[in-house]
Amino acid sequence: MTGGILDLGPQARIVAHLAAGVTEEQLADGTPCPDHAVRNMLGHLSGLAAAFRDAARKDLGATTDTDPSAAVPDVEPGWREALPKVLDELAEAWRDPAAWTGETRAGGVSLPGAVGGAVATNELVVHGWDLARATGQAYEPDPAALRVSYELLLASAEDPARGGIFGPVVPVPDDAPLLDRAIGLSGRDPGWKP
């Protein structure tokens, strides 16, 4: 992050590349999120990209007020074209310094713009890992995005009000790679396999 602003573009492109690598046969496969098949993870990524794009723009409404746990998302027709487009729009919206200031809302929760940017980053990093693991693709998140994700997850792990946002922390050795430590903090087992 430079001056409090992170370019989400590199991580958004990584997620778009992973999505492009998903075959039709893999859409029904399981993911590290027990209630989500690959198709649901892709639907979640589409929804969160639109919500955090609008949160960055301070264009508050239906996309920013929807509780992500209200329903299991699914891919919609044309998702292969729509998902990379909305990921690009997400990254572009967070390039505006104003996105990182003031208050915004996502998932029906009001939060400071800088926190919204960090949460959007974390969503891309962790769900990128989910998608890569579920579909057998290699995954190297953007290093700057990974660092933001790790710091956010570490702070949430130390917060007694963590609640249901993430599952219980999965212990990971202190000398494990940063991605494994972040994934453990998100409540996932870094060794998860389909």
Side-chain angles (χ1 to χ4, degrees), residues 78-146:
W79 71 269
R80 288 192 184 275
E81 295 75 32
L83 181 56
K85 182 178 184 287
V86 75
L87 286 167
D88 283 346
E89 292 169 355
L90 166 73
E92 186 58 35
W94 286 99
R95 286 187 184 108
D96 182 349
W100 298 84
T101 64
E103 291 289 313
T104 193
R105 193 166 53 245
V109 177
S110 295
L111 64 169
V115 173
V119 172
T121 303
N122 178 64
E123 291 282 324
L124 293 176
V125 169
V126 172
H127 292 316
W129 180 86
D130 290 333
L131 191 57
R133 276 301 168 107
T135 59
Q137 298 183 68
Y139 182 54
E140 280 192 48
D142 171 62
L146 175 58

Side-chain angles (χ1 to χ4, degrees), residues 34-90:
D35 297 334
H36 286 67
V38 170
R39 67 181 310 110
N40 306 123
M41 186 60 61
L42 291 164
H44 179 62
L45 281 162
S46 293
L48 77 84
F52 281 100
R53 172 201 64 203
D54 294 346
R57 295 173 177 169
K58 313 293 197 286
D59 182 11
L60 309 180
T63 59
T64 61
D65 288 343
T66 302
D67 179 348
S69 64
V72 176
D74 201 352
V75 290
E76 296 186 6
W79 71 269
R80 288 192 184 275
E81 295 75 32
L83 181 56
K85 182 178 184 287
V86 75
L87 286 167
D88 283 346
E89 292 169 355
L90 166 73

Side-chain angles (χ1 to χ4, degrees), residues 106-190:
V109 177
S110 295
L111 64 169
V115 173
V119 172
T121 303
N122 178 64
E123 291 282 324
L124 293 176
V125 169
V126 172
H127 292 316
W129 180 86
D130 290 333
L131 191 57
R133 276 301 168 107
T135 59
Q137 298 183 68
Y139 182 54
E140 280 192 48
D142 171 62
L146 175 58
R147 174 58 56 188
V148 168
S149 175
Y150 176 76
E151 290 171 4
L152 178 81
L153 290 163
L154 184 61
S156 79
E158 296 167 353
D159 182 354
R162 177 175 165 127
I165 298 173
F166 306 106
V169 171
V170 174
V172 176
D174 291 342
D175 62 350
L178 186 60
L179 178 58
D180 287 357
R181 288 183 279 149
I183 293 305
L185 289 170
S186 78
R188 291 156 171 80
D189 177 358

